[in-house]
Amino acid sequence: MATQAPLTTPITVSELRKYDGSDPSLPIYVAIKGDVFDVSKNTSSYGPGAGYNVFAGKDSSKALGKSSLKPEDCIADYSELTEKELETLNQWHAFFSKRYNIVGKVVPDN
């Protein structure tokens, strides 16, 4: 259950990559539609070797909309999703919003 108000701290794409679960001293982040969620409390799903670790450390909006676990689909650009896939993506965002705190917003590296 999300316990704090969403934060808007800017997190660059490069910085986000550090939060993929490979460093046990860092939290695990998953970004959806630019919002960065702290999923650290669910390492059994998002930690190294876990089924959804493919989403960790990046904005995987396209993959979530397509219900895909393919690494090549784990990108932020979801502009080519169908209407049904956009609905799925929005459902994932709502699911995460209820369960995990938003710790920041993804921003470009520049």
Side-chain angles (χ1 to χ4, degrees):
M1 175 86 59
T3 57
Q4 68 185 43
L7 301 177
T8 58
T9 307
I11 299 173
T12 66
V13 172
S14 293
E15 188 180 355
L16 182 58
R17 283 190 205 112
K18 298 176 192 172
Y19 299 94
D20 65 355
S22 61
D23 182 342
S25 70
L26 295 175
I28 302 172
Y29 291 166
V30 170
I32 305 171
K33 296 173 65 176
D35 290 331
V36 180
F37 295 89
D38 183 344
V39 299
S40 303
K41 66 182 181 182
N42 196 351
T43 56
S44 62
S45 293
Y46 299 100
Y52 297 130
N53 179 254
V54 69
F55 302 136
K58 60 183 80 82
D59 188 324
S60 297
S61 294
K62 180 180 178 182
L64 288 163
K66 294 175 77 61
S67 299
S68 170
L69 292 173
K70 296 178 184 174
E72 62 268 25
D73 286 336
C74 293
I75 60 173
D77 181 6
Y78 57 92
S79 62
E80 295 180 5
L81 294 181
T82 66
E83 192 172 321
K84 182 160 180 49
E85 290 168 338
L86 280 171
E87 187 177 315
T88 299
L89 175 59
N90 289 333
Q91 289 170 349
W92 275 117
H93 189 278
F95 174 89
F96 274 69
S97 295
K98 288 177 186 157
R99 287 162 181 80
Y100 306 109
N101 291 319
I102 295 175
V103 295
K105 290 271 191 192
V106 179
V107 295
D109 281 328
N110 57 6

